[in-house]
Amino acid sequence: MAGALAAGDGAGSALQGGFVCYSKDAKVRMLGLPSETLQTRLGAVTETVARLMAEGARDRSGAAIAIAVTGVLGPSCDEDGNPVGLVDIACAVAGLTRHRRERWPEAAPDVLIRATILSALGLVAAMLAETRDLAQEPTIVPPLG
């Protein structure tokens, strides 16, 4: 994800940084996830984990917006039995976090990565539009007198 964002022109003026938290332990240490959240029967590929990762990344980086992805690339199910192609994506902006779950059919890792990046960028675009619309809601001024 960070590589795709960094490849764009002008990335240095907008990209704060990134975390690669592949293991459950890294998610706890680097993003502050409660270890008990990762010990459920569903493991690390859940809506809750994706949301906490995005919020943790935003809080720890100081960025205005953060994206998190957790999923199964393969070649087989993960240690918790989640299937290849299952991905949870979250995007966090101050006080607002949105989630998207994707179930891609089994495919080569590069195909899954590309599909996930496109979905994540779509979620970011939707969040930016939503927060822009919220910021531009008209102010209602009560009549005088």
Side-chain angles (χ1 to χ4, degrees):
M1 191 74 221
L5 292 172
D9 289 340
S13 65
L15 184 60
Q16 183 76 18
F19 298 88
V20 178
C21 301
Y22 200 80
S23 71
K24 291 177 182 177
D25 182 59
K27 289 171 177 59
V28 171
R29 282 184 298 102
M30 297 169 70
L31 298 177
L33 274 70
S35 59
E36 54 274 5
T37 300
L38 297 165
Q39 302 309 319
T40 68
R41 66 177 180 80
L42 299 174
V45 185
T46 67
E47 176 178 351
T48 299
V49 169
R51 286 175 176 272
L52 290 171
M53 287 174 63
E55 292 163 2
R58 186 180 173 283
D59 291 346
R60 283 168 164 66
S61 69
I65 187 168
I67 312 157
V69 174
T70 183
V72 185
L73 212 69
S76 58
C77 294
D78 71 2
E79 63 192 24
D80 300 306
N82 292 307
V84 174
L86 178 63
V87 178
D88 283 285
I89 304 164
C91 183
V93 180
L96 183 64
T97 304
R98 294 285 186 251
H99 168 262
R100 177 179 288 176
R101 175 166 264 204
E102 301 286 4
R103 288 184 177 97
W104 309 113
E106 275 196 47
D110 63 319
V111 173
L112 294 174
I113 290 168
R114 190 172 27 252
T116 299
I117 289 171
L118 290 173
S119 182
L121 292 175
L123 181 58
V124 170
M127 286 283 292
L128 292 173
E130 181 178 354
T131 56
R132 181 184 63 238
D133 291 345
L134 290 173
Q136 292 179 2
E137 285 185 5
T139 303
I140 299 173
V141 179
L144 294 174

